[in-house]
Amino acid sequence: MKTIGFIGLGLMGEAMSKNIVAKFDGSVLVYDVNPAAIATLTAAGAQAANSVEEIAQKADVIISMVPRSEHVQAIYRQMLPYLHQGQITIDMSTIEPAVSEALAAEVAQKGAVMLDAPVVKSVQAAIKGELGIYIGGDKAAWEKVKPVLAMMGCNQIHMGQNGRGLVMKMLHNVQVAGIQNSVNEMLTAAEHYQIPKAAFHQAISYGGAANFYLDSKINSLIAEDYRTAFSLQNMAKDVNIMKSMLETSGLQLPGVEVIKGVYDKGMESGLGGEDFCATFKVVKDNA
């Protein structure tokens, strides 16, 4: 493995690719639609690619990290004519599992292998190389790229066939949203009964309701600071993907409907660009 290509240098992609540049003993080609993002990476030691097609032609392993399914589809439409035997593509974006599965089948027709490998945790974890990574696809291919993924994350788990890494990402994020909604409701009730947020948090920490979401967001909630670490609109996207998955599979999970309703109201209220903990405002205003 001599060359790694990285496509998508946003908040997460920049941090992830910088770790590869720092740790990989080879060339790292990078591309983004934003020239300034490419310049940031070349300053860190990466090589600029002129196009997605160039990366497809030159890289042994190709990583993509972009916002939505349509962006991943556009990238793979550009890459497919150039993909060839022996290449491994790793899409680390959070998109619909069915879209990823269909793309993986097209990649296989070119003799290459595609893995889905969405990540969990925050930008700070990406900077530190401490992401959690869920892998779907050929297990032997995963074994080959494990060292590359280890440059970005401290935990990896293979979830099964193509798309299963993304399924697991949806299960994870919607469970976080469920915990979040419970926290939002109980914080609203605490305020109603004149219990301050800080005291609520301390009391919760003494028992079985302690949770990472409350621990990590309590200061923001107390300060009513909704600056974005992970946006409400991004979580809304994931909740809606989960809803679509349930409709396709015939599962009925009432809690997902409740969560979707909260996020729908958040989007309707113009909170999409705020941090996802701004759902507290939605719950409180509708209590």
Side-chain angles (χ1 to χ4, degrees):
M1 188 188 307
K2 296 180 180 179
T3 304
I4 295 173
F6 203 108
I7 302 164
L9 307 173
L11 286 176
M12 293 292 285
E14 177 187 325
M16 293 159 68
S17 57
K18 278 183 176 177
N19 272 307
I20 296 175
V21 170
K23 299 170 186 177
F24 180 58
D25 185 20
S27 300
V28 182
L29 277 173
V30 297
Y31 180 78
D32 193 276
V33 293
N34 178 9
I38 298 175
T40 298
L41 262 295
T42 55
Q47 296 179 21
N50 293 315
S51 64
V52 168
E53 290 88 346
E54 182 182 351
I55 287 180
Q57 289 171 310
K58 295 181 178 179
D60 305 301
V61 173
I62 302 166
I63 299 167
S64 50
M65 184 62 168
V66 293
R68 296 183 179 274
S69 293
E70 54 266 33
H71 303 130
V72 176
Q73 289 170 317
I75 286 168
Y76 274 80
R77 277 196 297 271
Q78 294 172 74
M79 291 201 303
L80 275 166
Y82 304 98
L83 294 180
H84 52 269
Q85 188 78 34
Q87 285 179 304
I88 299 174
T89 74
I90 311 169
D91 182 47
M92 304 188 78
S93 317
T94 298
I95 65 171
E96 287 93 339
V99 169
S100 186
E101 291 168 25
L103 289 173
E106 292 188 63
V107 170
Q109 291 176 2
K110 308 296 290 187
V113 176
M114 177 182 175
L115 302 174
D116 49 285
V119 302
V120 290
K121 295 186 184 176
S122 65
V123 173
Q124 285 304 310
I127 292 169
K128 295 177 182 177
E130 296 177 352
L131 294 168
I133 306 173
Y134 302 151
I135 298 94
D138 183 75
K139 195 168 186 179
W142 168 52
E143 294 287 352
K144 289 179 183 177
V145 298
K146 252 186 180 180
V148 176
L149 295 173
M151 296 172 192
M152 298 175 282
C154 57
N155 291 302
Q156 303 179 41
I157 181 170
H158 186 263
M159 303 307 304
Q161 66 191 34
N162 283 105
R164 290 302 178 267
L166 285 162
V167 169
M168 186 63 233
K169 174 65 183 283
M170 300 310 160
L171 301 180
H172 172 277
N173 276 19
V174 175
Q175 180 157 326
V176 170
I179 293 167
Q180 176 192 59
N181 194 59
S182 176
V183 167
N184 288 341
E185 291 191 355
M186 292 307 101
L187 268 180
T188 298
E191 286 192 349
H192 178 77
Y193 293 109
Q194 291 84 51
I195 295 174
K197 291 189 181 80
F200 171 85
H201 175 232
Q202 184 176 352
I204 287 290
S205 74
Y206 296 166
N211 64 85
F212 177 79
Y213 174 77
L214 179 58
D215 290 344
S216 64
K217 290 297 185 181
I218 187 61
N219 291 332
S220 296
L221 291 165
I222 289 170
E224 298 183 10
D225 178 3
Y226 302 112
R227 285 175 295 176
T228 306
F230 179 64
S231 71
L232 190 148
Q233 63 189 2
N234 271 339
M235 183 62 102
K237 175 196 72 172
D238 296 348
V239 170
N240 278 283
I241 290 174
M242 184 70 184
K243 170 63 175 171
S244 178
M245 287 165 53
L246 295 179
E247 288 174 348
T248 300
S249 63
L251 284 174
Q252 295 184 12
L253 301 177
V256 176
E257 297 289 346
V258 172
I259 296 162
K260 184 179 183 302
V262 170
Y263 273 90
D264 286 349
K265 287 177 181 174
M267 293 298 291
E268 290 164 7
S269 300
L271 303 178
E274 297 188 14
D275 190 81
F276 80 133
C277 70
T279 51
F280 174 67
K281 294 190 283 186
V282 177
V283 172
K284 184 177 178 180
D285 289 348
N286 288 275

